[in-house]
Amino acid sequence: MIVTKLDDILFTLKWPLPVAVIVFFMALFAFVAFKRNHLSVSGSSAAFVSGVVILYCMRFEGFFIFFWFYASSNVIGKISKKRRKADAEENFEKKGSRRDWVQVFANGFMAVLCSLLYFNTGSVTAVLMFCASVAEAASDTWAGEIGRLSKSVPVSIRTFRQVPRGMSGGITALGIAGGFVASLVIAFFFVIFFPVKRAFLYAVPVLVSGFAGCLADSWLGATCQALYVNSKGELTERENDDDGTENRLIRGIRWLNNDIVNLVSNVFACVLSAGLSAVIGRC
């Protein structure tokens, strides 16, 4: 396997050469992401740190899974952006196309934490938590971007009433299918790159937790996430208008924005995978 050969080449080098190589290539990766407008300066810095930790702790197996999430999300995001019209959904864009450190942190913090846990324990549960974290992030991103390509109007996951495209908590059949496939792909990668005993059985927590985290994200977005109305009477998730005017909160918790919802859902996926792993371990 090419990935294993890369491990053999890099991590057999004399210390501290492996770290130096990782730092160099992660810095190059972060710079390219910044130049291509994928990440802001702070986002690139956060991605650099995350990449260094994940590659060093999880080796190329874990890094490939994490990189696949990043690359596939950007490709699908570009396709979605080209095909969808600039309609009401733009009201719900809290930030620009460049991801900052908060967005990187929301989707990648648990993956980094689980990488450190695996490095220090070598446990299967840590690997499952890492994969579940990436699966949830990928599932949520795929569901959102692919869902915007659906010809059907999204409905609230809570009330099943129609909502504007791009609004948190809105779901479509196409988006749900996309989210499930993303989680399934990560579970497949787990079986390939981490061939532990009963790997196919342990892949179930990755699939279930990743997809469940995506649904939890939508549920929180439809119930607890802050929703405002601006001076024009339009629904928005932005706390302030472009001119700085404070929008009126009509639902949810003011400090619970999309980034925090992403983080909470990611934590939920990790905890759920750990619980399911414990159940499987006792069988």
Side-chain angles (χ1 to χ4, degrees), residues 131-145:
C131 291
S133 170
V134 180
E136 188 281 326
S139 183
D140 179 49
T141 303
W142 278 41
E145 296 296 346

Side-chain angles (χ1 to χ4, degrees), residues 20-264:
V21 172
I22 291 172
V23 167
F24 172 77
F25 280 104
M26 286 303 100
L28 181 62
F29 167 77
F31 177 74
V32 171
F34 169 74
K35 294 297 290 184
R36 294 181 66 86
N37 294 324
H38 295 163
L39 300 171
S40 66
V41 173
S42 66
S44 297
S45 300
F48 165 75
V49 174
S50 300
V52 169
V53 173
I54 291 173
L55 180 51
Y56 186 79
C57 294
M58 300 292 297
R59 302 311 197 233
F60 279 100
E61 290 84 351
F63 178 75
F64 175 84
I65 292 175
F66 191 77
F67 179 77
W68 179 87
F69 152 64
Y70 166 80
S72 65
S73 296
N74 274 287
V75 170
I76 292 176
K78 285 185 176 181
I79 295 174
S80 174
K81 187 175 182 180
K82 286 181 179 180
R83 293 188 57 182
R84 69 179 187 258
K85 296 179 181 179
D87 52 18
E89 69 176 295
E90 299 302 326
N91 294 332
F92 298 95
E93 296 290 344
K94 289 185 67 66
K95 300 181 181 180
S97 58
R98 284 187 168 187
R99 293 178 178 268
D100 59 19
W101 74 270
V102 177
Q103 292 167 295
V104 173
F105 174 87
N107 289 291
F109 173 73
M110 289 305 297
V112 171
L113 193 63
C114 294
S115 297
L116 293 170
L117 180 64
Y118 174 71
F119 184 74
N120 286 281
T121 65
S123 71
V124 174
T125 299
V127 177
L128 291 176
M129 292 174 67
F130 169 82
C131 291
S133 170
V134 180
E136 188 281 326
S139 183
D140 179 49
T141 303
W142 278 41
E145 296 296 346
I146 293 178
R148 290 181 178 183
L149 301 176
S150 176
K151 295 181 179 180
S152 302
V153 178
V155 297
S156 169
I157 193 174
R158 182 176 65 89
T159 64
F160 292 101
R161 295 178 180 175
Q162 292 185 352
V163 295
R165 293 186 185 275
M167 181 176 178
S168 293
I171 59 172
T172 63
L174 185 62
I176 292 296
F180 180 82
V181 170
S183 192
L184 179 63
V185 171
I186 298 296
F188 175 71
F189 284 153
F190 164 76
V191 174
I192 293 178
F193 295 126
F194 298 97
V196 299
K197 186 178 180 181
R198 298 193 294 176
F200 282 99
L201 185 58
Y202 276 111
V204 174
V206 176
L207 171 61
V208 173
S209 300
F211 186 58
C214 171
L215 296 179
D217 186 285
S218 295
W219 180 262
L220 289 173
T223 56
C224 302
Q225 185 175 328
L227 182 66
Y228 304 88
V229 61
N230 60 23
S231 56
K232 298 178 182 179
E234 300 169 332
L235 293 176
T236 177
E237 291 176 5
R238 298 180 1 176
E239 187 174 0
N240 298 294
D241 251 342
D242 292 332
D243 59 3
T245 303
E246 185 175 311
N247 295 321
R248 180 168 58 90
L249 180 70
I250 60 172
R251 189 196 69 199
I253 306 171
R254 184 173 294 276
W255 55 265
L256 195 63
N257 58 28
N258 187 63
D259 294 324
I260 296 179
V261 167
N262 286 342
L263 177 60
V264 171

